[in-house]
Amino acid sequence: MSSTPPPSQSARDRHLSLPALGTRGGGWVTVQVVLLAAIALSALVGLSWPDPLVPIAYAAGALVFAVGLGLLLGGAIGLGSALTPFPAPRSQGELQTGGVYRLARHPMYGGGILIALGWSTIFATVVGLALTILLAVFAALKSRREELWLEQQYAGYRDYERRTKHRLIPFMW
């Protein structure tokens, strides 16, 4: 008999609507890489801010970018050897609930969104901002799929999920 509690009805419903896209979620990673590359390349087709707004846009964009980078790095350091590009956790990993993971369950995804938002703000690209919104929706879906795998692997995940209200960005989302 398994020591892991059966998934809740809502988890089963989420599982039915969010495909794995590979045994460890490689399809999710591929889409994410394409979105991030498109956001990076959007700087080549960016518009320019009106001259009086340029310093404000650069400062705001750099600040958001830096916060995102801190969140991304904090999440990566927190995972240590359990870090993987795939949404399915490593079989030998441990559930991380400390550090930045006390504030958000998927801080690396949130960091990526903030980096993309900062980048798009610095380079004044409407295309980049639109793609950043798409990235945010994608990250929310990917994180839900990842949580299904986390529930399966870690008996305490549901308790952690209840304690840690923010999914992607501490204090916000």
Side-chain angles (χ1 to χ4, degrees):
M1 191 165 204
S2 172
S3 63
T4 305
S8 67
Q9 183 61 39
S10 64
R12 278 190 284 255
D13 291 344
R14 289 186 298 185
H15 178 69
L16 294 174
S17 63
L18 292 171
L21 300 180
T23 56
R24 297 210 48 224
W28 290 95
V29 175
T30 301
V31 172
Q32 183 175 333
V33 166
V34 168
L35 275 171
L36 290 170
I39 291 166
L41 292 173
S42 74
L44 300 175
V45 294
L47 306 170
S48 58
W49 293 106
D51 286 339
L53 294 180
V54 169
I56 296 167
Y58 280 18
L63 177 63
V64 171
F65 188 98
V67 169
L69 187 59
L71 200 53
L72 183 85
L73 292 174
I77 291 166
L79 287 177
S81 64
L83 180 63
T84 175
F86 300 103
R90 292 182 188 267
S91 59
Q92 305 301 331
E94 293 181 19
L95 179 61
Q96 298 301 317
T97 61
V100 73
Y101 287 93
R102 285 181 305 121
L103 306 173
R105 297 188 309 270
H106 303 277
M108 293 181 67
Y109 296 165
I113 293 165
L114 293 177
I115 288 169
L117 179 60
W119 179 268
S120 298
T121 301
I122 290 168
F123 290 102
T125 170
V126 174
V127 172
L129 291 172
L131 289 170
T132 298
I133 291 168
L134 185 59
L135 176 67
V137 170
F138 176 80
L141 293 172
K142 182 181 175 195
S143 69
R144 289 179 192 277
R145 182 61 185 103
E146 183 172 336
E147 287 183 344
L148 294 170
W149 277 310
L150 293 167
E151 279 181 40
Q152 291 171 352
Q153 185 158 332
Y154 304 115
Y157 190 79
R158 299 281 291 160
D159 289 332
Y160 167 66
E161 184 178 29
R162 278 190 283 278
R163 285 190 319 270
T164 310
K165 300 295 181 197
H166 299 287
R167 180 182 298 273
L168 302 173
I169 301 173
F171 314 110
M172 294 179 69
W173 178 22

